[in-house]
Amino acid sequence: MASTGVDYASPPPDFENKGNDVIRGDFTHRKLKPRHIQLIGIGGTIGTALYVQIGRGLLNGGPASLFLAFTIWCSFILAVTVCMAEMVSYLPISSPFIRFAGRYVDDAFGVAAGYNFFVFEAALVPFEVTACNVVIHYWSDVVPAGGIIAIVLVLYLLINVLAVKWYGETEFWAALGKVLLIIGLIIYTFIVMLGGNPLGDRFGFRYWNNPGAFAELYRTGSLGRFLGWLQCLIQASFTIAGPDYVSMAAGEAENPRKVMPRAFTAVFYRLTAFFVLGSLAVGILVPYNDPEMTAAFTNNEPGAAASPYVVSMNRLNIPVLPHIVNAMVLASAFSAGNSYVYCASRSLFGLAIEGKAPKFLTRCTREGVPIYSVIVVLLIALLSFLQVSNNAAVVLNWFVSLVTASQLINFSVMCFTFIKYKKACDVQGFDRRKLPFRSWGQPYVAYYGLVGTFIMTFVGGYTVFLDDNWDVPTFLFSYTMVAVFPLLYIFWKLLKKTRWVRPEEANLHEDMEEIEEYERNYVSVPPRNAIEKGFSWLFS
């Protein structure tokens, strides 16, 4: 391995000639084009949750609760997005929000944020590998689970150890398929609700009236309807993301200070459209008390069997389409797992660059891939073989449940880091008006995002506090990472004796020299053909 790698401590002899590829001190390559960046942000977020698990939200809260919850949560995601867009567009480095947390808040805070994000992403890889296995069993049980899992892991290995442009290309096409599927399903909803179906049933918003717009959960009356809406909001908070995936690709993006502002803005609006319209569509297509959907979730039926879209197709006697949806759900699960491998390895790489993880993890291949970081993530992904044993599969679900609060902690970290960053800019007289992207309404937007994401971090396991509903495992799974984050912070603070960064001391210019050098050497490569020109126009 040593003969084919690049050591972080000693630059390669042809370093100065790598113009468009490398930034000094970080030997990943800038090969991700604008279309890659935008679709990576979308691809990492759109998984089985948008097509299948969204049905569980419909069961819990009803169509109106689901639509309102997803719409409201998008406002918090907007707050997080504009915070990250400003900081990352200014300093587009590897693992940006992790390293910014250390620079602008406290070195120990950055360590806690980095390992929280790494554990979260790494734990989701075996979860998505298992999802691929389950979705394939929608058609047949001929191929054993161990074989499917092995094939998926080998594909992840190949995609992630090749040059980053191949990862970007793979994610681009997989994410494009997801986008086309959700657009197709929204169009399908519009057509069938107006009577364009084999039954000729023009049902419109019928199910908002019967059985109703709001479902009762755990309690009756207004309290029950509120708890149903709250459960939908919890689902939205774990389902809708975006800025974290876009930011993690900043260190490998071509011409990042031009590309990243557009990517953050476009990804947010596209994701909002997909999730908000998707939540509206499922409430139109299926009543929240549909027996087929309820049974599918109760019996954990494989693949898209529990998808509200597939349930509606069965209700309307529409053939073939359920298999197409299941195939795209399979592609979504595979793509999401691929994104998690990428993000987890880059977060570990970022920690290693900062000296907060073993130095060998900074080693990159000559194609700019942090090879050992990728290998560590894929070793963790071997946990997916627990699925081979049905009893052990329960352990895997427990493991994933332990880190579900981590995403909300990540969002809180991003908002709080921005607050500290803006304070440093104000104190040091740093003119934010000259930045590639300047977020609006600050610091109030950042406070809005911080309060919302911080509160939801503690709301996720609220059901254990209801009467006769106390469950020790559920409590531990919901709140373990809430306790681990401060413990990581305290551990590193005591170990390294770090101190809180004062606004006048925050280093707002670190890495800027390297980024400016890259910009001076950057040469734009024009599209080679009409297809590339079309993609460039659409995603730039």
Side-chain angles (χ1 to χ4, degrees):
M1 190 69 70
S3 62
T4 61
V6 179
D7 192 357
Y8 168 70
S10 55
D14 61 339
F15 171 77
E16 295 297 337
N17 297 323
K18 287 190 176 290
N20 286 8
D21 291 348
V22 183
I23 281 182
R24 185 178 282 106
D26 176 355
F27 300 111
T28 53
H29 289 197
R30 291 192 175 274
K31 289 292 188 181
L32 295 177
K33 300 181 183 299
R35 62 185 178 91
H36 295 149
I37 299 295
Q38 293 203 27
L39 270 296
I40 285 171
I42 294 173
T45 302
I46 298 179
T48 56
L50 182 59
Y51 306 124
V52 181
Q53 293 302 318
I54 197 170
R56 193 178 294 278
L58 182 63
L59 287 173
N60 289 329
S65 290
L66 186 68
F67 177 68
L68 288 173
F70 273 67
T71 303
I72 291 169
W73 190 251
C74 281
S75 69
F76 292 106
I77 295 299
L78 174 60
V80 178
T81 299
V82 296
C83 290
M84 287 306 300
E86 177 171 328
M87 294 190 293
V88 174
S89 298
Y90 169 56
L91 282 175
I93 58 177
S94 293
S95 305
F97 81 86
I98 295 170
R99 297 165 73 183
F100 293 158
R103 293 181 189 183
Y104 307 144
V105 184
D106 185 338
D107 201 43
F109 191 72
V111 170
Y115 279 103
N116 174 74
F117 185 74
F118 167 70
V119 170
F120 171 66
E121 294 291 319
L124 286 175
V125 177
F127 178 78
E128 292 296 343
V129 173
T130 300
C132 289
N133 173 55
V134 172
V135 172
I136 288 173
H137 286 161
Y138 176 84
W139 291 300
S140 174
D141 293 327
V142 172
V143 182
I148 293 172
I149 292 168
I151 291 170
V152 173
L153 290 177
V154 168
L155 289 174
Y156 284 164
L157 175 65
L158 292 175
I159 292 169
N160 282 275
V161 300
L162 296 174
V164 70
K165 65 180 179 181
W166 294 111
Y167 163 78
E169 207 63 44
T170 303
E171 275 304 288
F172 173 79
W173 292 106
L176 187 60
K178 297 182 188 183
V179 170
L180 293 176
L181 175 60
I182 189 59
I183 292 174
L185 290 175
I186 291 170
I187 294 173
Y188 159 82
T189 302
F190 181 73
I191 292 173
V192 298
M193 72 183 288
L194 295 180
N197 58 74
L199 301 182
D201 185 6
R202 190 182 179 92
F203 54 87
F205 282 83
R206 176 190 303 162
Y207 304 130
W208 283 57
N209 295 315
N210 182 24
F214 296 91
E216 297 175 347
L217 185 68
Y218 301 124
R219 298 289 186 273
T220 58
S222 298
L223 178 59
R225 289 188 288 273
F226 170 77
L227 292 178
W229 170 81
L230 184 60
Q231 199 66 37
C232 290
L233 188 64
I234 292 170
Q235 179 166 351
S237 70
F238 290 132
T239 300
I240 308 174
D244 41 351
Y245 295 101
V246 178
S247 68
M248 291 305 291
E252 294 168 89
E254 284 187 1
N255 200 14
R257 302 188 82 197
K258 180 180 179 182
V259 167
M260 298 309 293
R262 297 176 181 178
F264 276 107
T265 303
V267 166
F268 168 75
Y269 287 116
R270 286 170 181 155
L271 283 177
T272 298
F274 297 151
F275 280 103
V276 171
L277 291 177
S279 65
L280 179 64
V282 298
I284 291 172
L285 292 171
V286 182
Y288 68 75
N289 61 354
D290 181 84
E292 181 184 346
M293 186 170 65
T294 303
F297 278 110
T298 302
N299 300 328
N300 293 316
E301 293 186 16
S307 170
Y309 298 104
V310 170
V311 171
S312 76
M313 292 167 188
N314 293 336
R315 289 171 64 94
L316 297 171
N317 297 331
I318 299 175
V320 181
L321 282 183
H323 296 284
I324 296 175
V325 173
N326 194 66
M328 297 307 296
V329 169
L330 174 60
S332 297
F334 180 85
S335 172
N338 198 33
S339 290
Y340 297 144
V341 172
Y342 175 84
C343 288
S345 63
R346 276 18 176 218
S347 63
L348 192 58
F349 175 70
L351 287 165
I353 284 179
E354 298 279 307
K356 296 158 187 171
K359 182 181 176 182
F360 78 91
L361 294 171
T362 61
R363 174 172 287 275
C364 293
T365 66
R366 295 199 180 278
E367 296 295 335
V369 176
I371 182 67
Y372 292 127
S373 295
V374 171
I375 289 173
V376 168
V377 174
L378 289 174
L379 287 175
I380 295 173
L382 293 176
L383 286 168
S384 53
F385 281 103
L386 290 172
Q387 177 69 13
V388 174
S389 166
N390 290 332
N391 293 330
V394 176
V395 177
L396 179 61
N397 290 329
W398 287 350
F399 184 62
V400 173
S401 298
L402 283 172
V403 297
T404 50
S406 293
Q407 178 164 285
L408 292 168
I409 295 174
N410 292 334
F411 291 156
S412 299
V413 165
M414 293 175 193
C415 293
F416 186 70
T417 299
F418 181 88
I419 292 168
K420 294 287 289 182
Y421 153 83
K422 184 181 183 302
K423 182 66 174 177
C425 290
D426 294 342
V427 169
Q428 296 181 28
F430 185 81
D431 190 358
R432 295 171 51 241
R433 291 174 296 182
K434 297 179 180 179
L435 296 176
F437 180 95
R438 183 190 178 198
S439 59
W440 38 264
Q442 299 293 2
Y444 308 106
V445 170
Y447 278 113
Y448 173 75
L450 175 62
V451 170
T453 55
F454 185 77
I455 290 174
M456 288 304 296
T457 302
F458 294 90
V459 171
Y462 82 94
T463 55
V464 299
F465 301 108
L466 298 177
D467 295 339
D468 302 322
N469 214 29
W470 175 256
D471 182 65
V472 173
T474 301
F475 175 80
L476 291 176
F477 300 154
S478 299
Y479 297 109
T480 293
M481 289 307 295
V482 176
V484 168
F485 185 89
L487 288 176
L488 285 171
Y489 173 77
I490 294 169
F491 169 77
W492 194 262
K493 195 166 188 66
L494 294 176
L495 180 67
K496 297 294 184 179
K497 297 181 173 55
T498 65
R499 63 188 183 89
W500 202 253
V501 178
R502 292 186 292 186
E504 60 271 17
E505 297 174 340
N507 191 339
L508 297 171
H509 305 285
E510 187 176 349
D511 294 313
M512 182 49 63
E513 181 181 343
E514 289 82 358
I515 292 170
E516 289 176 345
E517 180 183 347
Y518 167 82
E519 289 183 320
R520 286 192 298 269
N521 296 329
Y522 176 74
V523 178
S524 178
V525 179
R528 293 174 297 180
N529 50 52
I531 295 177
E532 285 194 2
K533 187 178 293 185
F535 283 143
S536 178
W537 173 81
L538 187 61
F539 296 109
S540 297

